[in-house]
Amino acid sequence: MSHAHKKDEILSHDLPATPLDPKTQAIRDAKIQVAMIGFCGCWGCTLSFLDMDEGLLELLEKVNITRSSMTDTKRIPGRMALGFIEGGIANSENIEVLEEYRENCDVLISVGACAVWGGVPAMRNVVPLEECFREAYIDSPTAVPSAKKVIPFHEDLPIITTTVKPLHEVVKIDYFIPGCPPDGGAILKVLDDLVNGRGFDLPSSMNRYD
Amino acid sequence: MSIKVTIDGKEVSARDGDNIIDVAAENGVYIPSLCYVKGKPCLGTCRTCSVKVNGNVMAACTIPVAEGMEIEVNEPEVTDMRKALVELLFSEGNHNCPSCEKSGRCELQATGYEVDMMVSRFPYRFTPRVVDHSSKTIFLQRDRCIFCQRCVDMIRDEKTGEKIFSIKGRGTHARIEIDTDLANEMSPQQVREASDLCPVGCIIDSTQGYDDPIGKRKFEVKTIRDRALERTHR
């Protein structure tokens, strides 16, 4: 799959949009730019991000969240200081988007078990891919009996990787926040340190793998 | 007999013959370990307790202290070696903490926190390992075995003294085995003892599940460091 698209296709982010009023835009532009994304996972880490509660308000004074599942912006609009990524790498589109994040973000943070080592989706790594497909689409106990049994394959569908990979096995990752999901407090500690120019420091008392 | 050794440059007195882990703990210095059990013969299998002794890297549980010994625990190079050893264990087996019954009371997990592991520097291998549910009393979750051999040496049939657990094969073919007949004869107390002795979630008591809520689990109530120091530091 590629972001290059056919000439007759119009994608949502190419449609004309009303610009923000210059004052609001200027305030946003002056902040630290952050892009977020979830790959193969459950978006639980993004929910934990929201779990920062009132800490989030203070953080938003300093950062502007551009592309993310919450803003529904489909493209990274420019150079980002931080990339906040959850989920493991499970298909060709994940790889392509992760590389785009690496190219456009100064610092990338791997957030949660799936991003850090593969997590729950990586439980399929000990089973051959063909067997996984067979179980999901051919021998599935929940398959509709009358439906034709077929393993989906089309040029518009991303190709599933043989195994689920942690992010750092695809691109360089700067920092890791383990946890399934990490606590809002742990995420706040890391982001607050980074946006205030302190280094990464997640103490063992806040570190969790589950 | 009392002798003098130095730990991280500080002179302390110790009983001749005690091992380095115990002497360090008595003096408030924590050395992580996954196979050593205080009061039992040392196994020396996990190497997680590696420290520098007179400049050489050695497993602290295997070395009795001697007069004038210079022990370095929190020296950067050997500290990173211990961390690397823990990371190796995490990438060798399949340690899926989010789905493990032992999470929160797992010594490997707790030790990962103590050595500040965020991620393993080694590639995660995802080796397929077959689960053994043949015994009525114990589920053997081989994914999580770190080959410490605590169960092999310390859990034996109460009547005959025969080993219940063993390691079959060598190198990457090695796997933990359970004698199903002997395991079915184990008393509930002995099953719990085996399950508690296992530093990971490999030996699972079939009657025990996710019993304690998050926040109230063993190493959340008190860290493995505090427990190790408390056991000797009285």
Side-chain angles (χ1 to χ4, degrees), chain A residues 113 116-120 122-123 125-127 163-164 166 168-169 176-180 200 202-204 207-210, chain B residues 90 94-99 103-104 108-109 112-114 116-120 122-124 126-129 214 217 220:
Chain A
V116 170
W117 63 266
V120 169
M123 288 168 97
N125 289 4
V126 294
V127 181
T163 58
V164 177
H168 68 272
E169 289 188 14
F176 299 85
I177 311 178
C180 187
F200 174 92
L202 189 63
S204 62
N207 191 0
R208 310 194 348 213
Y209 304 151
D210 66 349
Chain B
F90 271 94
N94 300 316
H95 298 279
N96 193 343
C97 297
S99 75
S103 192
L108 177 63
Q109 184 190 59
Y113 300 153
E114 290 301 335
D116 272 331
M117 185 192 98
M118 302 290 150
V119 60
S120 177
F122 305 101
Y124 291 92
F126 299 107
T127 317
R129 290 189 184 165
I214 287 173
R217 299 175 299 182
E220 291 167 337

Side-chain angles (χ1 to χ4, degrees), chain B residues 143-198:
Chain B
D143 273 343
R144 305 162 185 167
C145 182
I146 58 166
F147 301 96
C148 69
Q149 304 190 34
R150 277 185 186 176
C151 60
V152 175
D153 267 49
M154 299 172 196
I155 303 292
R156 286 160 184 270
D157 183 67
E158 279 161 349
K159 287 188 207 111
T160 61
E162 264 184 82
K163 286 183 177 180
I164 300 173
F165 299 92
S166 59
I167 288 173
K168 197 176 167 185
R170 299 173 76 86
T172 52
H173 300 291
R175 65 180 200 178
I176 187 79
E177 292 286 356
I178 183 167
D179 185 317
T180 311
D181 294 336
L182 292 181
N184 287 341
E185 294 297 312
M186 287 167 82
S187 65
Q189 291 78 13
Q190 198 189 15
V191 170
R192 186 56 64 95
E193 186 198 341
S195 158
D196 288 345
L197 191 66
C198 180

